[in-house]
Amino acid sequence: MAELITLTTDFGTQDSYVAEMKGVLLSEGPASLRIVDLSHELPPFDVANTAHFVRATLPRFPAGTVHVVVVDPGVGSSRRPLAAEVGGQLVVGPDNGVFAYVFDRNTIVHAIDVERLARPISATFHGRDVFAPVAARLSRGVPLAHIGPRIDSYQHLPFPMVEIQASTLTGRIIRIDRYGNLITNIPRSTLVGFLAGAPPGSVEVQVAERVVRGVLDHYAEAKLGDLLAVIGSAELLEVAVREGNAAHKLGAQIGASVRLSLRAPP
Amino acid sequence: MAELITLTTDFGTQDSYVAEMKGVLLSEGPASLRIVDLSHELPPFDVANTAHFVRATLPRFPAGTVHVVVVDPGVGSSRRPLAAEVGGQLVVGPDNGVFAYVFDRNTIVHAIDVERLARPISATFHGRDVFAPVAARLSRGVPLAHIGPRIDSYQHLPFPMVEIQASTLTGRIIRIDRYGNLITNIPRSTLVGFLAGAPPGSVEVQVAERVVRGVLDHYAEAKLGDLLAVIGSAELLEVAVREGNAAHKLGAQIGASVRLSLRAPP
Amino acid sequence: MAELITLTTDFGTQDSYVAEMKGVLLSEGPASLRIVDLSHELPPFDVANTAHFVRATLPRFPAGTVHVVVVDPGVGSSRRPLAAEVGGQLVVGPDNGVFAYVFDRNTIVHAIDVERLARPISATFHGRDVFAPVAARLSRGVPLAHIGPRIDSYQHLPFPMVEIQASTLTGRIIRIDRYGNLITNIPRSTLVGFLAGAPPGSVEVQVAERVVRGVLDHYAEAKLGDLLAVIGSAELLEVAVREGNAAHKLGAQIGASVRLSLRAPP
């Protein structure tokens, strides 16, 4: 059934780590297994960034997909390995917050019992020795209950919140993409509420000491090279430069604040 | 039938964009769909380079393959989204010239009617919201006519032409590959015509103020570290350094001229 | 049967080379072929590094898998193209040492007879014109004997040996991974023999003028940012920094010596 396994890691592909995991998956998974690479280029050890990545991708996949996520600075420590069911899909990875933005009250979470794998487990590479074997089993239809005991608690990671004070809304940059677009933690719904009743163009977006007026519907409404604010594909406010790189232009970094103010339109 | 979908983008894989597209393809395509990554590392926004990439790769694939190409600086502007049939294969992407070197008189081109997709379409990510859903439909056997109206005109991109004057042929560098090989716009057939009757070794290749004598059959005919000219795998003249990097050695860039002259052999 | 083909190259994916190979494999291989990317980011022209990569990955794959390995500085020279059977799996690539650490006395090695491919073969791209077509044939069940004549000799590559003198063991760094971990040529078994009877913590590991005491079982036994020595996932001694980059911290390079000495514990 579940013959799709996705891989999300910070391993890069210059080393043999991803290839070794694929060998284990194909040796131990169902004969018709298809492996789908999501990313091996996540920033090393960055759990919060991985949680955002998982949040953006997971809901797009068909029911029954098994997702292996290995960004795991604590490998070999006492952090637990997890397997869980989220909205009909299965996830496997470390209990360090990478799943924090997709787990909710209805998620069924199990701790992986590594003894049941009955294999040698290296100190440094649980992707190959724990997570891949468990994903292969789940993909073959082994139920979560056979993987290890159900648990009630797991690592949380607060989603960075927006502050609203009178006519000012303060968020921050949570991701910077390959094109230098600055992705904030300000959801479309929050923005819509904040702007309710205000005339179009009456909002100013301030980031890294620069000000952009208005939130556009499309990149193409700005002039080439101009700064702009737009609701991006993750339904979050983004600051971008049309066919350019906002991160370079502004010298902006993850965590920097983004302030929206209502002004009388000019 | 068409259970193969290839992906060619400038998205990189550090962000979630490629992964989101894969989720859509697997959710909406046929159950046996196999996704084939061609590249996610194309130079951002470079339409001409993408057109060369598509020209080199498309003819290698089996009939019925669906190719999604997303290098799309004009996303969100009025540039049209296209789906087309080229020699028994299907392509999906923006109407900005990325298909210019594979489209010909016999190509059947349709504009994608985004209304028929009946889904929310973000301002900034047509790869996920337009091109992937259309590719999934085509892969399930939906005919082009259901995707949108057939059209007669689309964006062209002139293939950079070679100039021939008496005993001089002038071309230029159109691509530089990972190894620093300088790939020109001079096809083998043009070169053969230009050299017809001339004794072997009578041609001089001038690039970035350096001169190479003769066109070799193999890298290995040159000494380690020497500059050489050879007909490369795209059937185009290349300037290379044996087991070295010609781009670094010459400081050469895309667009630089490459001049061939006939001389009496030494 | 053998519907899995893996790809290991130094091509990168910015150029069209990998994509062209995939087109040939899918056009000429079995209809149900699944292509598995192992790496396209191996360091260019580095045969020894590739041999380590193949050694780490090959044994993980199921019987019948076909592995194409193209790191080929001698393309177009007289180096032979090979196809071979190794423990029930098949490999295809250049005879330059990339398979040296998996070939043994029982390996059946054939030279590829390019005439039998009956196709044009470019001077510079045997990955597409020789290795992919042969892999496609093997994957369709064509026996090795049809690919070319069996041969007795092929390129060897000495595995870098460890020196033991009284209470000192000297190895060296053979790979540096993405995280900056320094992977040595010192196998667990050699280390266990060397330490036999010595009290725990009595070994000193010297690398790049720094000394680490003891060999840990897990990264997590060290403090954040501390240097440590551990048996890594390849069953080789590694020098690492917990959640840090040992290569940067030590300025260490491939080939540098790593010396173990027995001392009275402190």
Side-chain angles (χ1 to χ4, degrees), chain A residues 3-4 34 36-39 41-43 53 56-57 60-62 175-179 183 217-220 230-233 243-244, chain B residues 10-17 19-20 22-24 26-27 31-34 40-42 45 73 75-77 122-125 128:
Chain A
E3 56 174 23
L4 289 172
R34 284 168 292 158
V36 183
D37 292 301
L38 298 196
S39 177
E41 305 299 335
L42 293 186
F53 185 98
T57 55
R60 302 284 169 186
F61 281 83
R175 287 197 303 129
I176 298 178
D177 75 10
R178 183 193 204 193
Y179 304 95
I183 296 148
D217 286 329
H218 299 99
Y219 289 150
V230 66
I231 302 291
S233 64
E243 296 188 33
Chain B
D10 63 356
F11 290 165
T13 54
Q14 193 167 333
D15 304 312
S16 60
Y17 305 131
E20 293 178 66
K22 290 181 175 180
V24 171
L26 291 164
S27 291
S32 57
L33 178 64
R34 285 168 290 158
H40 302 297
E41 304 299 336
L42 293 187
F45 303 145
V75 63
S77 72
S122 66
T124 59
F125 192 8
R128 180 191 68 192

Side-chain angles (χ1 to χ4, degrees), chain B residues 71-113:
Chain B
V71 173
D72 193 12
V75 63
S77 72
S78 60
R79 71 96 189 89
R80 291 179 304 188
L82 298 183
E85 192 198 313
V86 187
Q89 302 187 58
L90 296 156
V91 302
V92 180
D95 180 18
N96 62 6
V98 292
F99 302 119
Y101 303 154
V102 294
F103 279 5
D104 63 20
R105 223 164 276 210
N106 299 314
T107 306
I108 298 162
V109 185
H110 288 248
I112 294 169
D113 179 356

Side-chain angles (χ1 to χ4, degrees), chain C residues 52-222:
Chain C
H52 288 296
F53 185 99
V54 171
R55 174 175 177 267
T57 54
L58 204 75
R60 303 283 168 188
F61 281 83
T65 304
V66 178
H67 301 275
V68 182
V69 180
V70 195
V71 172
D72 192 13
V75 62
S77 72
S78 59
R79 72 95 190 87
R80 290 179 304 188
L82 298 182
E85 192 197 312
V86 187
Q89 302 188 56
L90 296 156
V91 302
V92 180
D95 180 18
N96 63 6
V98 290
F99 301 119
Y101 303 154
V102 294
F103 279 5
D104 64 20
R105 223 165 275 211
N106 298 315
T107 306
I108 298 163
V109 185
H110 288 247
I112 294 169
D113 179 355
V114 296
E115 301 290 329
R116 298 190 199 175
L117 294 172
R119 64 195 293 142
I121 292 175
S122 66
T124 58
F125 192 8
H126 288 189
R128 180 191 69 193
D129 298 334
V130 176
F131 301 127
V134 167
R137 279 163 170 73
L138 294 175
S139 185
R140 290 201 323 263
V142 173
L144 276 178
H146 290 210
I147 301 300
R150 186 162 175 182
I151 58 176
D152 289 327
S153 69
Y154 50 82
Q155 288 293 315
H156 292 267
L157 199 69
F159 194 86
M161 299 302 288
V162 163
E163 280 174 48
I164 302 187
Q165 285 189 309
S167 62
T168 306
L169 184 162
T170 308
R172 50 176 155 134
I173 300 170
I174 56 172
R175 287 197 302 128
I176 298 177
D177 75 10
R178 183 191 205 195
Y179 305 95
N181 298 318
L182 310 173
I183 297 148
T184 75
N185 61 335
I186 305 169
R188 179 198 293 270
S189 54
T190 303
L191 186 71
V192 165
F194 177 71
L195 297 180
S202 64
V203 66
E204 273 182 12
V205 180
Q206 189 181 338
V207 55
E209 293 170 24
R210 294 287 291 268
V211 170
V212 186
R213 187 167 273 275
V215 175
L216 304 184
D217 285 330
H218 299 99
Y219 289 149
E221 291 170 41

Side-chain angles (χ1 to χ4, degrees), chain B residues 3-4 6 34 36-43 49 52-53 56-57 59-62 175-179 181 183 217-221 230-235 238 242-244, chain C residues 9-20 22-24 26-27 30-35 37 40-45 73-78 119 122-125 128-129:
Chain B
E3 57 174 23
L4 289 171
T6 79
R34 285 168 290 158
V36 183
D37 291 301
L38 299 196
S39 177
H40 302 297
E41 304 299 336
L42 293 187
N49 178 74
H52 287 297
F53 185 98
T57 55
R60 302 283 168 188
F61 281 82
R175 287 197 302 129
I176 298 177
D177 75 11
R178 184 192 204 194
Y179 304 96
N181 298 318
I183 296 148
D217 286 330
H218 299 98
Y219 290 149
E221 292 171 39
V230 65
I231 301 291
S233 65
E235 295 288 290
E238 295 183 19
R242 188 174 167 206
E243 295 189 35
Chain C
T9 76
D10 63 356
F11 291 165
T13 55
Q14 193 167 331
D15 304 312
S16 59
Y17 304 130
V18 169
E20 293 179 64
K22 290 180 174 179
V24 170
L26 290 164
S27 291
S32 58
L33 177 64
R34 285 168 291 159
I35 295 174
D37 292 302
H40 302 295
E41 305 298 337
L42 293 187
F45 303 146
V75 62
S77 72
S78 59
R119 64 195 293 142
S122 66
T124 58
F125 192 8
R128 180 191 69 193
D129 298 334

Side-chain angles (χ1 to χ4, degrees), chain A residues 21-177:
Chain A
M21 285 183 70
K22 289 181 175 180
V24 171
L25 290 169
L26 290 164
S27 291
E28 305 184 16
S32 58
L33 177 65
R34 284 168 292 158
I35 295 173
V36 183
D37 292 301
L38 298 196
S39 177
H40 302 296
E41 305 299 335
L42 293 186
F45 303 145
D46 188 337
V47 169
N49 178 74
T50 307
H52 287 297
F53 185 98
V54 170
R55 175 175 177 267
T57 55
L58 204 75
R60 302 284 169 186
F61 281 83
T65 304
V66 178
H67 302 274
V68 182
V69 179
V70 195
V71 172
D72 192 13
V75 62
S77 72
S78 60
R79 72 96 190 87
R80 289 179 305 186
L82 297 183
E85 192 197 313
V86 188
Q89 303 187 57
L90 296 157
V91 302
V92 180
D95 181 17
N96 62 6
V98 291
F99 302 119
Y101 302 154
V102 294
F103 280 5
D104 63 21
R105 222 164 277 211
N106 299 314
T107 306
I108 299 162
V109 185
H110 288 248
I112 294 169
D113 179 355
V114 297
E115 301 290 328
R116 299 191 198 174
L117 294 172
R119 63 194 295 142
I121 292 175
S122 66
T124 59
F125 192 7
H126 289 190
R128 180 191 69 192
D129 298 335
V130 175
F131 301 127
V134 167
R137 279 162 170 73
L138 294 175
S139 185
R140 289 201 324 261
V142 172
L144 276 178
H146 291 209
I147 301 299
R150 186 162 176 182
I151 58 176
D152 288 328
S153 69
Y154 49 83
Q155 287 295 314
H156 290 266
L157 198 70
F159 194 86
M161 298 303 288
V162 163
E163 281 174 47
I164 301 187
Q165 286 190 308
S167 61
T168 306
L169 184 162
T170 307
R172 50 174 154 135
I173 300 170
I174 56 172
R175 287 197 303 129
I176 298 178
D177 75 10

